[in-house]
Amino acid sequence: MDHVRIGELSKHIDQTVTVKGWLYNKRESGKLKFPIVRDGSGYLQCVVSKKEVSEESWQAATDSTQESTLHVVGVVREEPRAPGGVELHVSDFKVAHLTQDYPITPKEHGTAYLMQHRHLWLRSKNQHAILRIRSEVEQACRDFFYNNDFTLIDSPILTPAACEGTSTLFETDYFGDKAYLSQSGQLYLEPAAAALGKVYCFGPTFRAEKSKTRRHLMEFWMIEPEVAFLEFDGLQNLAEEFVEYIVQRVVERRKEELKALERDITKLERIQRPFPRITYREAIDVLQKKGKDVKFGDDLGADDETALAEAFDKPVMVSRYPTSIKAFYMQPDPNDPEVALGMDMLAPEGYGEIIGGSQRIHDHDLLLQRIKEHDLPIEAFQWYLDVRKYGSFPHSGFGMGIERAVAWICGVTHLRECIPYPRMLYKIYP
Ligand code: 4AD
Ligand code: MG
């Protein structure tokens, strides 16, 4: 009998098929058993009737335990009340591998315990839904840039210099020299933008953040576009078009998973352009009126971000932060040189910053001066300065942390559930 994935069963109504998977749960009543099998593509309710199966099959269904590997043969029947709209009327039930003492039971476990068993926790319903949505988000990101004629540029992981400040670098030995794990692919995208015009990279990035918050991982995935001749307003348009696309794509294609997570879809359906835009100076005013102790020059903390985002049911773009608190490469605002042409996009519902981006300095001497002011090693940045030496051009880009976006879209409060194997402060198991 053909092996069919559970997600495909609705195309096999009234046919006999084999399903291979794991026992998720089991109900029984007298001479009937209702094992629920999962195989990654869905959940299937099976009906095992003592009258209709062999002694061996009945015994196997009786003995099967949570997460035992199963091979089940039966006829697919339509059943609107069952998950996936079908059930399997079983003719043969085999336990291919009997699981004993599965560590994660349907009872509540603490998060520390679950994180320690992350490799098994992935099988649970919510984790399964989050990973499917993550995969959809990643595919949507790639499709968005591909459809808009961007070229993918894979940036290196081992780098000789910092992109986002020297305090969060993971250092490693490179044949006697120092190398660092990449904090961002941006610096490598800028020269590629001169070669290809519109480029993006997508890969893991690393930050040795000595902070234990629900929004920080040591290793996270970032998608970063960089566009030649794109200036600051155009950058904000690109960011909002991109985010709208991704959210609507998940709403359209991952309804089941959003439902499993009990996510309020109406909140996601509202994520349509245009998004509100405010300046950092305006943001400081708003926060001061709310009684917060902040002034020009302060970086915005997580609570400030939440307080700002509260006023909107869409992501808000906060722009023109003081140059003093932003990265060395950001173009100063010609009308207000104390601030930079950079922006953060803050997600609604308290999810905080999902995107950081800016127009880049394209004047060679100004960039050199900034590198010096930031005490960065000039030799390591010679190649980066070359972009401003040979046919310089205004350009802009941004980076979106995939886990931040997934957490918001899924309505999950902690980033650790939004990546298969999170790397957190002092935690690298499994
Ligand atoms: O704002 P960041 O630091 O910007 C950059 O790295 C730029 N070089 C991007 C660019 O312009 N090409 O980081 C960008 C995004 C943040 O908005 C956030 O979503 C995510 O990366 N991020 C993190 N996600 C998880 N854990 C961390 N420790 C993160 N740090 C940043
Ligand atoms: Mg940032």
Side-chain angles (χ1 to χ4, degrees):
M1 232 48 71
D2 282 348
H3 172 200
V4 179
R5 296 241 297 163
I6 291 169
E8 300 283 305
L9 285 176
S10 58
K11 296 181 197 146
H12 296 264
I13 303 293
D14 297 332
Q15 294 172 14
T16 302
V17 299
T18 300
V19 170
K20 297 182 180 184
W22 297 265
L23 184 72
Y24 179 70
N25 213 334
K26 190 164 62 180
R27 274 192 307 118
E28 20 207 327
S29 73
K31 296 190 181 334
L32 286 175
K33 294 185 194 294
F34 304 97
I36 295 176
V37 183
R38 55 157 205 91
D39 72 351
S41 70
Y43 299 82
L44 171 67
Q45 173 161 294
C46 302
V47 183
V48 187
S49 161
K50 190 163 189 204
K51 287 200 308 258
E52 286 161 29
V53 296
S54 66
E55 193 65 30
E56 290 79 17
S57 284
W58 182 255
Q59 196 57 44
T62 307
D63 295 344
S64 61
T65 53
Q66 188 195 347
E67 290 306 319
S68 284
T69 313
L70 306 176
H71 295 179
V72 189
V73 180
V75 181
V76 183
R77 297 275 190 233
E78 236 167 333
E79 173 49 70
R81 287 165 302 175
V86 297
E87 351 176 274
L88 193 74
H89 287 250
V90 175
S91 53
D92 189 59
F93 193 100
K94 271 198 189 65
V95 174
H97 182 252
L98 187 71
T99 287
Q100 264 151 352
D101 305 322
Y102 187 67
I104 301 178
T105 58
K107 74 162 204 232
E108 292 275 304
H109 296 285
T111 312
Y113 180 87
L114 291 169
M115 288 309 311
Q116 199 68 10
H117 295 85
R118 180 64 178 164
H119 52 298
L120 301 176
W121 192 22
L122 298 180
R123 304 182 190 193
S124 301
K125 200 164 201 163
N126 281 13
Q127 301 307 313
H128 173 265
I130 295 168
L131 292 179
R132 295 265 278 193
I133 290 172
R134 180 187 167 104
S135 173
E136 189 69 45
V137 167
E138 294 186 329
Q139 191 63 44
C141 288
R142 292 191 186 285
D143 289 348
F144 178 86
F145 289 122
Y146 185 83
N147 293 338
N148 284 289
D149 201 29
F150 283 66
T151 302
L152 174 66
I153 295 294
D154 298 311
S155 55
I157 303 285
L158 291 167
T159 64
C163 177
E164 294 298 324
T166 48
S167 61
T168 62
L169 286 171
F170 277 109
E171 189 181 305
T172 183
D173 172 69
Y174 196 76
F175 307 108
D177 282 332
K178 277 184 187 165
Y180 309 97
L181 299 186
S182 175
Q183 295 168 311
S184 157
Q186 179 197 324
L187 303 188
Y188 294 92
L189 282 180
E190 293 183 45
L196 296 142
K198 303 207 279 185
V199 293
Y200 77 101
C201 66
F202 185 26
T205 46
F206 306 86
R207 308 252 173 121
E209 313 247 18
K210 280 266 164 80
S211 52
K212 211 172 177 175
T213 82
R214 61 192 178 87
R215 291 182 186 170
H216 289 94
L217 296 167
M218 303 301 125
E219 180 178 314
F220 63 96
W221 284 65
M222 185 156 46
I223 183 120
E224 300 177 83
E226 191 73 34
V227 184
F229 306 109
L230 184 71
E231 300 195 31
F232 192 54
D233 286 339
L235 176 75
Q236 297 188 72
N237 298 341
L238 178 67
E240 85 188 342
E241 194 187 337
F242 171 69
V243 169
E244 177 191 276
Y245 177 80
I246 286 163
V247 173
Q248 295 317 319
R249 169 88 173 244
V250 173
V251 168
E252 194 187 306
R253 301 204 193 177
R254 290 292 156 221
K255 284 212 165 56
E256 279 295 312
E257 288 79 4
L258 291 169
K259 204 168 132 208
L261 295 168
E262 295 173 20
R263 183 65 168 118
D264 182 349
I265 293 184
T266 60
K267 291 208 165 101
L268 298 178
E269 282 167 343
R270 245 175 258 148
I271 309 305
Q272 307 274 357
R273 283 172 289 167
F275 296 174
R277 299 178 187 194
I278 62 171
T279 65
Y280 170 89
R281 288 188 194 276
E282 288 164 348
I284 293 292
D285 274 351
V286 171
L287 291 170
Q288 285 174 346
K289 289 204 180 90
K290 287 186 183 244
K292 298 223 168 227
D293 181 25
V294 288
K295 55 179 188 319
F296 184 89
D298 292 347
D299 209 350
L300 303 180
D303 292 346
D304 301 323
E305 289 182 353
T306 301
L308 283 175
E310 246 168 33
F312 309 102
D313 56 7
K314 298 180 191 186
V316 53
M317 288 187 271
V318 183
S319 65
R320 298 177 158 86
Y321 286 76
T323 48
S324 57
I325 56 170
K326 284 293 178 186
F328 73 95
Y329 52 71
M330 288 192 189
Q331 174 78 11
D333 183 347
N335 303 316
D336 184 1
E338 262 190 328
V339 302
L341 295 179
M343 67 93 176
D344 284 355
M345 187 188 286
L346 311 180
E349 304 174 70
Y351 284 92
E353 178 192 332
I354 49 171
I355 282 183
S358 71
Q359 185 169 333
R360 325 302 191 186
I361 293 175
H362 63 279
D363 178 76
H364 177 275
D365 294 348
L366 178 59
L367 184 61
L368 182 62
Q369 182 192 326
R370 285 289 152 79
I371 290 174
K372 287 181 184 158
E373 284 166 8
H374 281 79
D375 268 333
L376 296 167
I378 294 170
E379 326 74 69
F381 286 93
Q382 279 308 339
W383 64 274
Y384 183 64
L385 282 158
D386 275 356
V387 181
R388 282 76 179 165
K389 234 160 109 184
Y390 307 110
S392 195
F393 54 106
H395 56 286
S396 304
F398 66 77
M400 183 182 82
I402 291 295
E403 295 77 13
R404 296 263 182 102
V406 170
W408 163 48
I409 293 171
C410 290
V412 168
T413 50
H414 205 301
L415 254 53
R416 66 188 161 209
E417 290 184 47
C418 298
I419 184 165
Y421 296 98
R423 297 293 171 240
M424 297 184 297
L425 195 57
Y426 309 124
K427 270 217 184 75
I428 195 169
Y429 178 92

